Amino acid sequence: MTIQFTYNVNPSRIVFGQGTSTQVADQITSLGCKRALVLSTAFQADDAKKLAADLGNLSAGNFTEATMHTPVHVTEQAMQVYTSSGADCVVALGGGSTIGLGKAIAYRNDAPQIVVATTYAGSEVTPILGQTENDLKTTVRGANILPEVVIYDPDLTIGLPVSMSVTSGLNAMAHAVEAVYAENRNPVTSLMAVEGVRALHEALPKIVENPTNTDARSQALYGAWLCGTVLGTVGMALHHKLCHTLGGTYNLPHAETHAIMLPHTSAYNAPAAAEEMQPLIDLFGGSIGGGLWDFAKSLNAPLALRDLGVDETDMDRAADIAVTNPYWNPRPVEREAIRGLLQRALDGSRPE
Ligand code: NAD
């Protein structure tokens, strides 16, 4: 077997472990910064305000209006607060929505970013920013978008509601499933991807059983780091393109959409990438699509797109968009087969 690849590694500092969220101040000073604007969503405002208070003189205050899909008008408000507060870096406390705001600020002014990640979505380790303006979502990549420091403290994920833990964990798995067959994969990204799925596969049922299980929380966050890392390193294919189309066109919730689609997109690609997917096929009992669907069902994850408020007509349109927008995928993207896949996802039926 010949091995050949080009591997661009994203440079960032990862601080992992229980209690590490107390290291935010040290990380701010290690970056040579003096005043951090602490970001969060309105939902996590209390935690973000406490963090800012704990930072004392290292805090430039809070901006707690981070919103899903990073609307540009919110970023503009945050930029004003950043400037008027005399901040020289950002601390994003939260999931992909808050991290997206920190990235959007850094994209505009090169602000160093420290992320305290509290979901499994993986944005904290990617140089990718998706932002929305006039209902249009655009994606940009850049070295200044990648956060400099990521703190993973499992204690901060204990409060992530079980349903969100499950959908966010499946969202993370989706990055890794697509990474194993990515066109620009390499042996290291494949190892990380398989290990990430393995960790989440082990941890999520334990979290459903007991959300305060700190070992399981730690394991899930470790898996999420690996899955996010491969998302930031190799190209994604059918699954991410379909979720992007569905999310962008019908404003569907991010993690739930990924969770519902994953069994169907992986079943679609399995025949064309059987060798690359073999470790995952084994992990899910011999059938990646059916096994993932059974796994999601056992965790009470949402299974049907219909429950998110879309219908057959929307699926026709999504299938049209999927085939008119060519991109690399291990299996050719054919309209009729994609429409069938979308129907099964709409109905929540088990992939064949
Ligand atoms: P989110 O950040 O929107 O979080 C959902 C809700 O849960 C928010 O109200 C948040 O405050 C709350 N929450 C988060 N962590 C919590 C915790 N530990 N305890 C209690 N509440 C908590 O959800 P998400 O799925 O992490 O992020 C979705 C967004 O991230 C989307 O906009 C998506 O496009 C983006 N994203 C981007 C990338 C990338 O690489 N650019 C990767 C993944 C996701």
Side-chain angles (χ1 to χ4, degrees):
M1 184 178 63
T2 38
I3 298 176
Q4 193 171 8
F5 57 85
T6 304
Y7 182 14
N8 292 312
V9 183
N10 289 322
S12 55
R13 180 183 305 150
I14 308 296
V15 181
F16 194 104
Q18 263 188 290
T20 50
S21 62
T22 57
Q23 294 183 28
V24 175
D26 291 345
Q27 296 302 331
I28 293 171
T29 48
S30 78
L31 291 175
C33 297
K34 294 188 169 64
R35 282 170 71 77
L37 181 64
V38 181
L39 311 173
S40 72
T41 62
F43 190 75
Q44 288 175 291
D46 288 347
D47 292 341
K49 284 178 184 160
K50 183 177 179 308
L51 174 58
D54 290 347
L55 290 176
N57 291 339
L58 287 172
S59 164
N62 289 95
F63 182 87
T64 58
E65 302 302 323
T67 308
M68 179 98 69
H69 304 311
T70 327
V72 167
H73 73 272
V74 174
T75 303
E76 284 165 358
Q77 288 166 21
M79 289 294 294
Q80 281 176 13
V81 176
Y82 184 93
T83 307
S84 62
S85 66
D88 62 2
C89 65
V90 293
V91 172
L93 172 73
S97 298
T98 305
I99 297 162
L101 176 62
K103 288 175 161 183
I105 294 172
Y107 178 57
R108 286 163 176 76
N109 67 7
D110 269 335
Q113 305 168 66
I114 295 158
V115 172
V116 185
T118 65
T119 72
Y120 307 135
S123 178
E124 64 281 356
V125 279
T126 80
I128 309 162
L129 164 66
Q131 29 184 13
T132 45
E133 191 168 25
N134 305 324
D135 287 337
L136 204 74
K137 186 161 181 174
T138 50
T139 303
V140 283
R141 293 181 83 102
N144 63 351
I145 292 172
L146 181 75
E148 279 76 0
V149 177
V150 182
I151 295 177
Y152 287 107
D153 184 341
D155 285 346
L156 300 193
T157 62
I158 299 276
L160 188 65
V162 168
S163 61
M164 275 172 54
S165 302
V166 167
T167 52
S168 194
L170 292 168
N171 180 191
M173 279 190 179
H175 310 326
V177 170
E178 292 232 290
V180 298
Y181 54 62
E183 196 176 18
N184 59 344
R185 67 187 177 274
N186 68 61
V188 175
T189 54
S190 296
L191 283 171
M192 292 175 105
V194 172
E195 173 66 358
V197 177
R198 189 206 57 74
L200 283 158
H201 179 258
E202 193 175 305
L204 292 180
K206 294 180 185 166
I207 290 172
V208 171
E209 201 180 304
N210 175 12
T212 63
N213 179 334
T214 47
D215 287 348
R217 287 289 185 184
S218 191
Q219 178 96 334
L221 200 55
Y222 160 69
W225 164 57
L226 293 168
C227 293
T229 301
V230 292
L231 168 70
T233 312
V234 299
M236 296 289 112
L238 177 71
H239 172 83
H240 282 74
K241 300 291 177 185
L242 275 182
C243 290
H244 194 92
T245 301
L246 291 165
T249 313
Y250 306 111
N251 198 25
L252 302 186
H254 177 84
E256 286 89 333
T257 307
H258 275 271
I260 293 170
M261 293 302 294
L262 182 61
H264 303 283
T265 51
S266 47
Y268 184 92
N269 278 335
E275 196 182 325
E276 295 82 358
M277 294 173 90
Q278 198 56 54
L280 301 181
I281 293 170
D282 293 345
L283 190 66
F284 285 97
S287 156
I288 184 83
L292 266 165
W293 190 89
D294 295 340
F295 181 67
K297 190 166 190 283
S298 74
L299 302 174
N300 295 318
L303 295 172
L305 284 180
R306 210 183 284 285
D307 295 340
L308 304 184
V310 283
D311 61 22
E312 321 264 336
T313 326
D314 300 325
M315 296 303 101
D316 288 336
R317 202 165 145 224
D320 289 340
I321 298 173
V323 290
T324 49
N325 204 348
Y327 47 84
W328 187 87
N329 190 61
R331 178 175 161 191
V333 180
E334 290 152 354
R335 191 186 183 288
E336 208 172 313
I338 295 296
R339 183 63 186 82
L341 176 170
L342 285 166
Q343 188 65 41
R344 287 188 286 281
L346 182 72
D347 296 337
S349 51
R350 191 177 188 272
E352 288 123 38

